[in-house]
Every structure is written in C-alpha cells, then in structure tokens.
Amino acid sequence: RILTCCPLEMLKYERKTSGKIEGNILKNGNNIVVECGVAECLVDLSRRTQQHGVAYVDNPASISKELAAEVSMKAFVLKTFYAPPGAVLAKPSQGQVGFLRQERIESSGRSQYAVTPVTAKHNLLCILETTKSRKVELNALEAGSYLPWDSQSKLYLVFDDLNWVPTDKDRFVLRDRKSDNPLSWPFGIDISMGSKITSCTQGITSKDASFELAGNGFKFKAGQRIGIAVFSEHTPTNITASYDPKHPSNFSTEQLKQAFGKANQVNIYTGRTMLVGDKHIEHNINSFTSCSGAIIFLLDGEHAGKAVAVHAGSHPSMRTRNIGFKLVDTR
C-alpha cells in the first residue's frame, strides 16, 4: 500500500456482532487503530462521465448544465499529511473537503462570505501503516487544500479532530438490532467541522466556492436525486473502486475511465437516496478512493445545489450502496 494513494479510503468494515469490532481493524487497548482506509464502491457501471456544458457529469440527464457548472466550482481536494512519530518527512493521503457558507464578511466591500470547512472525520484520524515486517503508527500532522486552478497555492485548514483515534464508544448504530441487517459505523457521526475562515481568502470566501445548506422546508426522503462533485489527483483502480479491496473488481482501465472521468478535473457523480436513517443516508452514487468528505447536494427542486450530507464511504454490507451523514437535521 502506498501512502500517497489515500490510505484512509480502503478499509472494509463489517457489521458489529457480540460487542466486537470485525474487519481490518487492529486493537490497541481500548483504541481502534486503522490499518488502511475506508472502502468505496462503483455502484453502477452504466453511468458514463462526459462533458456537460463546461462540467463533467456521469449522468447528464440528471442535472442541468447551469447547476453542473455551479457545483464544479465548489469541489476541493483535502490533503492530510502523515508521518511516524519524530519523523521530518510527511506524505499525504487524499479525500475531499467542502465549504459551508456562513455570514457575509461586511468589511470586504464585495460579496465575500465566511466559510466553515467540512470533511469526513475519518479523513483526519491517526492510522497504522502495515508493512511486511512491522506496523508503524502514522500521525496526522496537517490538513489542507489548494485552489484547483492553482496547484502551487496552499490553504491551511484547522480541524480539532486532526489525529484523533476512534474507540469502541465512537461506534454509531446505522441499523439497530431490530433490523434484519443490523449495522454500525466505527467513526460515529462521520463529519468534522473545521475552524471558520472569516477573512477574505482568494477562491474560498467567494459565493461561488461554498455550499449553502438546505434550509426550512427540506425533508429527506428515499428517491431524492443527489450528487457529489469530486476533484481527485488519482485515477481509480480495481482496488480503489471495489466494495471489497481484498478481492478487487475486474473492471478494465477503460471502464473505470468511462465511469469516473479523468483525474485532475472536477467530476460530478449522481444518484439517489435509497434509505434515510436518523443521522445517515444510504445512496447509490458511484465513488472511489479519495471521494470521502465530498458534500452531497440536491440535483433538483427548490433546494437544488444545496448541501444536505457528507459522503463517507461504502455501505458496510450492501454492494449496491454507499453512505453519507446528514448535515441537515430535519426532525
């Protein structure tokens, strides 16, 4: 496993049974030390990412050209830098980060808004890298991003959850024991909010770069059309697009390219909500390694383009679904 290929996105978690945590997790006292990352899943191979106006979308019929262009401006890669204790060389993993629009910055003299960065919490945790001879702890030292059109820029982001270590107490029940398919998620409510950015920042505090939350009147329901906008430096592989990375899919390079588009451009992946839980949703948007942390937004209706959830990873037991956690409380 190469650390720069996003180690936080390749771990498969199984259901919780008899109080024990199963899957590729190493126990260290009461802590869960992650050996690799969270799995992602290509759900529907029939979708083809193609140009749609100025954007790239895997199902052009599901989103207008105008909305596709709008959300393409809101996709940012998250780089979390890792190093063993005491080391001076750090290497990055990759996920996604979005910015939620807050109050207007009055001193700006133009339409600039304070923003809060948000990502999947597991993108920030302390991990354990496994080699043939030993296991090495890797501390998350820094998290940041850059402007997609200026790779030389660097955006420093502050998350209180940086380098956190999940424990058994963090585990969140997705479906309880009353369900015919009881499931839990080891990272709890898998969302981390960073420190608010309140000063004008090029490419970040402009209205075009941030998502507005779906507000009053919005209700989650199965069948809603949703999407994620992803900017990734990596091309998907049979491992990074597999429900079970230990048993990779047999997709060809061309099939993966058709499904996900090219690296180093913003691609929009679309789908629908399949199930609505108390704090999470299950959906059928295609995803691959580095998609976690992407904002899930609505594709149509009065709240089109507004944020409703954060994509987290592959469903723990169903090969035709991924999951996300709600940003909007509609109770």
Side-chain angles (χ1 to χ4, degrees):
R1 183 170 59 84
I2 302 173
L3 183 58
T4 53
C5 287
C6 199
L8 298 182
E9 292 254 355
M10 294 173 61
L11 178 61
K12 185 72 245 159
Y13 291 100
E14 305 299 336
R15 71 184 64 187
K16 183 179 180 182
T17 57
S18 65
K20 296 181 180 180
I21 297 175
E22 301 176 356
N24 299 337
I25 304 176
L26 302 173
K27 296 299 291 296
N28 179 11
N30 291 324
N31 294 334
I32 304 167
V33 182
V34 180
E35 184 177 19
C36 41
V38 175
E40 295 281 0
C41 187
L42 197 173
V43 175
D44 186 351
L45 193 61
S46 69
R47 299 177 196 151
R48 298 286 188 268
T49 296
Q50 55 196 279
Q51 190 162 3
H52 185 50
V54 297
Y56 294 88
V57 182
D58 72 352
N59 181 10
S62 68
I63 185 172
S64 69
K65 292 180 179 179
E66 294 76 17
L67 181 58
E70 177 184 326
V71 296
S72 290
M73 299 291 291
K74 307 177 192 296
F76 294 87
V77 67
L78 176 75
K79 287 194 171 184
T80 306
F81 285 83
Y82 285 89
V88 296
L89 177 65
K91 295 184 179 181
S93 72
Q94 186 178 131
Q96 301 294 306
V97 63
F99 296 94
L100 299 181
R101 191 179 312 143
Q102 306 294 336
E103 71 277 5
R104 183 173 177 174
I105 302 174
E106 296 297 338
S107 61
S108 66
R110 55 190 187 278
S111 297
Q112 298 285 311
Y113 295 83
V115 295
T116 299
V118 59
T119 189
K121 189 176 179 181
H122 74 255
N123 284 339
L124 305 167
L125 53 71
C126 175
I127 64 176
L128 189 68
E129 182 181 30
T130 302
T131 66
K132 292 182 179 180
S133 59
R134 59 176 181 161
K135 294 180 176 67
V136 180
E137 180 183 345
L138 296 173
N139 292 321
L141 304 179
E142 177 184 288
S145 187
Y146 60 86
L147 306 179
W149 59 90
D150 182 7
S151 61
Q152 299 303 308
S153 62
K154 189 167 186 178
L155 178 66
Y156 293 93
L157 301 175
V158 178
F159 289 93
D160 289 340
D161 294 319
L162 186 68
N163 206 42
W164 76 291
V165 179
T167 70
D168 288 343
K169 293 181 180 180
D170 291 303
R171 184 174 285 279
F172 177 76
V173 175
L174 301 176
R175 302 187 188 184
D176 62 24
R177 296 181 182 276
K178 297 178 182 179
S179 169
D180 58 357
N181 187 21
L183 299 169
S184 60
W185 191 254
F187 307 120
I189 306 300
D190 202 352
I191 295 177
S192 182
M193 297 284 188
S195 297
K196 186 191 295 187
I197 298 171
T198 58
S199 59
C200 293
T201 304
Q202 179 186 4
I204 300 297
T205 55
S206 65
K207 189 175 182 180
D208 292 340
S210 59
F211 282 96
E212 181 181 353
L213 282 173
N216 295 333
F218 172 73
K219 297 289 184 182
F220 284 100
K221 59 183 179 180
Q224 286 169 323
R225 298 203 301 170
I226 54 176
I228 58 176
V230 172
F231 180 79
S232 175
E233 297 176 348
H234 302 309
T235 301
T237 68
N238 283 339
I239 294 176
T240 63
S242 293
Y243 172 84
D244 182 0
K246 284 191 172 183
H247 301 88
S249 62
N250 59 357
F251 303 130
S252 69
T253 300
E254 184 60 27
Q255 284 177 314
L256 291 170
K257 182 179 178 180
Q258 289 177 348
F260 290 114
K262 298 179 181 179
N264 293 303
Q265 71 179 23
V266 176
N267 297 302
I268 299 169
Y269 309 127
T270 62
R272 294 179 181 270
T273 54
M274 308 299 290
L275 179 144
V276 178
D278 183 34
K279 298 293 185 181
H280 84 292
I281 62 172
E282 299 175 13
H283 64 79
N284 66 354
I285 298 172
N286 287 338
S287 66
F288 66 95
T289 291
S290 84
C291 287
S292 74
I295 297 291
I296 298 176
F297 58 89
L298 295 165
L299 296 181
D300 51 22
E302 63 177 307
H303 298 287
K306 294 183 180 180
V308 295
V310 174
H311 171 68
S314 176
H315 192 282
S317 68
M318 301 180 70
R319 294 177 181 270
T320 57
R321 296 187 184 185
N322 287 304
I323 71 167
F325 286 86
K326 295 178 179 179
L327 283 169
V328 181
D329 188 350
T330 58
R331 290 177 297 175

